[in-house]
Amino acid sequence: MRHRRGIDLAPRGDTAESASTLETLPEWYVLVAMCGKCRHQAPVDRRQIARTRGVGTSLLAIAGMLKCRRCGNATGNELLLGKLPRD
Ligand SMILES: [Zn+2]
């Protein structure tokens, strides 16, 4: 899956990083939430979560916290990992 600006997105289940926490996930990964109902996508501010929930918060825990801003759905939402181009 291609995202604009060339970010590669992968469903968390397909990546080894799914067991990661904010602390162990490399900086060049961005998190994108996708609604399981309306497919709305929104970037997740990992630094803000690290501040409010702690850097030990796992990606799976974050996925469970997601709520769609468009339709309000809170179940079946996916957390996608995007890799920023490294330069
Ligand atoms: Zn939605």
Side-chain angles (χ1 to χ4, degrees):
M1 194 192 308
R2 294 299 282 186
H3 195 255
R4 60 180 181 276
R5 288 181 56 215
I7 300 175
D8 291 314
L9 295 175
R12 61 185 161 78
D14 291 350
T15 63
E17 292 86 355
S18 62
S20 296
T21 65
L22 290 175
E23 189 173 31
T24 60
L25 189 71
E27 279 179 18
W28 56 86
Y29 281 97
V30 294
L31 302 178
V32 179
M34 185 172 72
C35 177
K37 204 166 166 187
C38 74
R39 316 309 277 177
H40 177 62
Q41 290 186 15
V44 174
D45 188 344
R46 56 179 287 183
R47 276 169 299 186
Q48 189 190 336
I49 295 173
R51 272 199 307 272
T52 57
R53 312 281 299 213
V55 292
T57 306
S58 71
L59 301 189
L60 288 174
I62 293 170
M65 290 162 22
L66 298 174
K67 185 176 177 189
C68 181
R69 283 185 203 135
R70 184 198 271 171
C71 74
N73 173 55
T75 59
N77 296 332
E78 294 231 48
L79 187 65
L80 307 176
L81 289 174
K83 274 183 201 168
L84 289 172
R86 299 178 70 185
D87 49 12

